[in-house]
Coordinates of all heavy atoms in Angstrom, one line a residue:
K1 N 62.0 -34.2 21.8 CA 60.9 -33.6 21.0 C 61.5 -32.5 20.1 O 61.1 -32.3 19.0 CB 59.7 -33.2 21.8 CG 58.5 -32.7 21.0 CD 57.4 -32.4 21.9 CE 56.1 -32.0 21.1 NZ 55.0 -31.7 22.0
K2 N 62.3 -31.7 20.8 CA 62.9 -30.5 20.0 C 63.9 -31.0 19.0 O 64.0 -30.4 17.9 CB 63.6 -29.6 21.0 CG 62.6 -28.9 21.9 CD 63.3 -27.9 22.9 CE 62.3 -27.1 23.7 NZ 62.9 -26.2 24.7
I3 N 64.7 -32.1 19.3 CA 65.6 -32.6 18.3 C 64.8 -33.2 17.2 O 65.3 -33.1 16.0 CB 66.5 -33.7 19.0 CG1 67.5 -33.0 19.9 CG2 67.2 -34.6 18.0 CD1 68.4 -34.0 20.6
W4 N 63.7 -33.8 17.4 CA 62.9 -34.4 16.3 C 62.5 -33.2 15.4 O 62.6 -33.4 14.2 CB 61.6 -35.0 16.9 CG 60.6 -35.3 15.9 CD1 59.4 -34.6 15.7 CD2 60.6 -36.3 14.8 NE1 58.7 -35.1 14.6 CE2 59.4 -36.2 14.1 CE3 61.5 -37.3 14.5 CZ2 59.1 -37.0 13.0 CZ3 61.2 -38.1 13.4 CH2 60.0 -37.9 12.7
H5 N 62.0 -32.1 15.9 CA 61.5 -31.0 15.1 C 62.7 -30.3 14.4 O 62.5 -29.8 13.3 CB 60.7 -30.1 15.9 CG 59.3 -30.6 16.3 ND1 58.4 -31.1 15.4 CD2 58.8 -30.8 17.5 CE1 57.3 -31.5 16.0 NE2 57.5 -31.3 17.3
N6 N 63.8 -30.2 15.1 CA 64.9 -29.4 14.6 C 65.8 -30.2 13.6 O 66.4 -29.6 12.6 CB 65.8 -28.9 15.7 CG 65.1 -27.9 16.6 OD1 64.1 -27.3 16.2 ND2 65.6 -27.7 17.8
L7 N 66.0 -31.5 13.8 CA 66.9 -32.3 13.0 C 66.4 -33.5 12.3 O 66.8 -33.8 11.2 CB 68.1 -32.7 13.9 CG 69.0 -31.6 14.5 CD1 70.0 -32.2 15.4 CD2 69.6 -30.8 13.4
L8 N 65.5 -34.2 13.0 CA 65.1 -35.5 12.5 C 63.8 -35.6 11.6 O 63.7 -36.5 10.8 CB 64.9 -36.5 13.7 CG 66.1 -36.7 14.5 CD1 65.8 -37.7 15.7 CD2 67.3 -37.3 13.7
E9 N 63.0 -34.6 11.8 CA 61.7 -34.6 11.1 C 61.9 -34.3 9.6 O 62.4 -33.2 9.2 CB 60.7 -33.6 11.7 CG 59.3 -33.7 11.1 CD 58.3 -32.8 11.8 OE1 58.8 -31.8 12.5 OE2 57.1 -33.1 11.7
M10 N 61.5 -35.2 8.8 CA 61.6 -35.1 7.3 C 60.3 -35.7 6.7 O 59.6 -36.4 7.4 CB 62.8 -35.8 6.7 CG 64.1 -35.5 7.3 SD 65.4 -36.6 6.7 CE 66.8 -36.1 7.7
E11 N 60.0 -35.4 5.5 CA 58.8 -35.9 4.9 C 58.9 -37.5 4.8 O 59.9 -38.0 4.2 CB 58.6 -35.4 3.5 CG 57.3 -35.9 2.8 CD 57.1 -35.2 1.5 OE1 57.8 -34.3 1.1 OE2 56.1 -35.6 0.8
G12 N 58.0 -38.2 5.4 CA 58.1 -39.7 5.4 C 58.9 -40.3 6.4 O 59.1 -41.5 6.4
S13 N 59.5 -39.5 7.3 CA 60.3 -40.1 8.4 C 59.5 -40.4 9.6 O 58.3 -40.1 9.7 CB 61.4 -39.0 8.8 OG 60.8 -37.9 9.4
G14 N 60.1 -41.1 10.5 CA 59.4 -41.5 11.8 C 60.4 -42.0 12.8 O 61.5 -42.3 12.5
A15 N 59.9 -42.1 14.1 CA 60.8 -42.5 15.2 C 59.9 -43.2 16.2 O 58.8 -42.8 16.5 CB 61.5 -41.3 15.8
V16 N 60.5 -44.2 16.8 CA 59.9 -44.9 18.0 C 61.0 -44.8 19.1 O 62.1 -45.2 18.9 CB 59.6 -46.3 17.8 CG1 59.0 -47.0 19.0 CG2 58.6 -46.5 16.6
I17 N 60.7 -44.2 20.3 CA 61.6 -44.0 21.3 C 61.2 -44.8 22.6 O 60.0 -44.8 22.9 CB 62.0 -42.6 21.7 CG1 60.8 -41.9 22.3 CG2 62.4 -41.8 20.4 CD1 61.2 -40.5 22.9
T18 N 62.1 -45.3 23.3 CA 61.8 -46.0 24.6 C 62.9 -45.5 25.6 O 63.9 -45.0 25.2 CB 61.9 -47.5 24.5 OG1 63.2 -47.9 24.1 CG2 60.8 -48.0 23.6
F19 N 62.5 -45.6 26.9 CA 63.4 -45.1 27.9 C 64.0 -46.3 28.7 O 63.2 -47.1 29.2 CB 62.7 -44.2 28.9 CG 62.2 -42.9 28.2 CD1 61.0 -42.8 27.6 CD2 63.1 -41.8 28.3 CE1 60.6 -41.6 27.0 CE2 62.7 -40.6 27.7 CZ 61.5 -40.5 27.0
E20 N 65.3 -46.3 28.8 CA 65.9 -47.4 29.6 C 66.3 -46.8 31.0 O 66.8 -45.7 31.1 CB 67.2 -47.9 28.9 CG 68.0 -48.9 29.7 CD 69.4 -49.1 29.2 OE1 69.8 -48.4 28.2 OE2 70.0 -50.0 29.7
L21 N 66.1 -47.6 32.0 CA 66.6 -47.3 33.3 C 67.8 -48.2 33.6 O 67.7 -49.4 33.6 CB 65.5 -47.5 34.4 CG 64.3 -46.7 34.2 CD1 63.3 -47.0 35.3 CD2 64.6 -45.2 34.2
G22 N 69.0 -47.6 33.9 CA 70.2 -48.4 34.1 C 70.0 -49.3 35.3 O 69.3 -49.1 36.3
E23 N 70.6 -50.5 35.2 CA 70.4 -51.6 36.2 C 71.0 -51.2 37.5 O 70.5 -51.6 38.5 CB 71.1 -52.9 35.6 CG 70.5 -53.4 34.4 CD 71.1 -54.6 33.9 OE1 72.0 -55.1 34.6 OE2 70.7 -55.1 32.8
K24 N 72.1 -50.5 37.6 CA 72.7 -50.2 38.9 C 72.3 -48.9 39.5 O 72.1 -48.9 40.7 CB 74.3 -50.1 38.7 CG 74.9 -51.5 38.2 CD 76.4 -51.4 38.1 CE 77.0 -52.7 37.7 NZ 78.4 -52.7 37.6
N25 N 72.1 -47.9 38.7 CA 71.8 -46.5 39.3 C 70.5 -45.9 38.7 O 70.3 -44.7 39.0 CB 73.0 -45.6 39.2 CG 73.5 -45.5 37.8 OD1 72.8 -46.0 36.9 ND2 74.6 -44.8 37.6
N26 N 69.8 -46.6 37.9 CA 68.6 -46.0 37.3 C 68.9 -44.8 36.4 O 68.0 -43.9 36.3 CB 67.5 -45.7 38.3 CG 66.9 -46.9 39.0 OD1 66.7 -47.9 38.3 ND2 66.5 -46.8 40.3
S27 N 70.0 -44.8 35.8 CA 70.4 -43.7 34.9 C 69.5 -43.8 33.6 O 69.2 -44.9 33.2 CB 71.8 -43.8 34.5 OG 72.1 -45.0 33.8
V28 N 69.0 -42.7 33.1 CA 68.1 -42.6 32.1 C 68.8 -42.5 30.7 O 69.7 -41.7 30.5 CB 67.1 -41.4 32.2 CG1 66.2 -41.3 31.0 CG2 66.3 -41.6 33.5
H29 N 68.3 -43.4 29.7 CA 68.8 -43.3 28.4 C 67.6 -43.3 27.4 O 66.6 -44.0 27.8 CB 69.7 -44.5 28.0 CG 71.0 -44.5 28.7 ND1 71.1 -44.9 30.0 CD2 72.2 -44.2 28.2 CE1 72.4 -44.8 30.4 NE2 73.1 -44.4 29.3
I30 N 67.7 -42.6 26.3 CA 66.6 -42.7 25.3 C 67.2 -43.6 24.2 O 68.3 -43.4 23.7 CB 66.3 -41.3 24.7 CG1 65.5 -40.5 25.8 CG2 65.4 -41.5 23.5 CD1 65.1 -39.1 25.2

């Protein structure tokens, strides 16, 4: 959310994020 406001947010921009849980150790990725 902070990266969105600091770097990615522009007029007319947008983002869809999902969270992946790793198959072996449930490691989190965005």
Side-chain angles (χ1 to χ4, degrees):
K1 187 175 183 179
K2 291 183 178 179
I3 286 179
W4 165 256
H5 290 303
N6 295 341
L7 297 176
L8 300 178
E9 188 175 20
M10 307 174 186
E11 184 178 354
S13 65
V16 180
I17 69 169
T18 59
F19 294 88
E20 176 195 6
L21 301 179
E23 297 179 3
K24 295 182 179 180
N25 55 7
N26 289 327
S27 62
V28 173
H29 293 75
I30 290 180

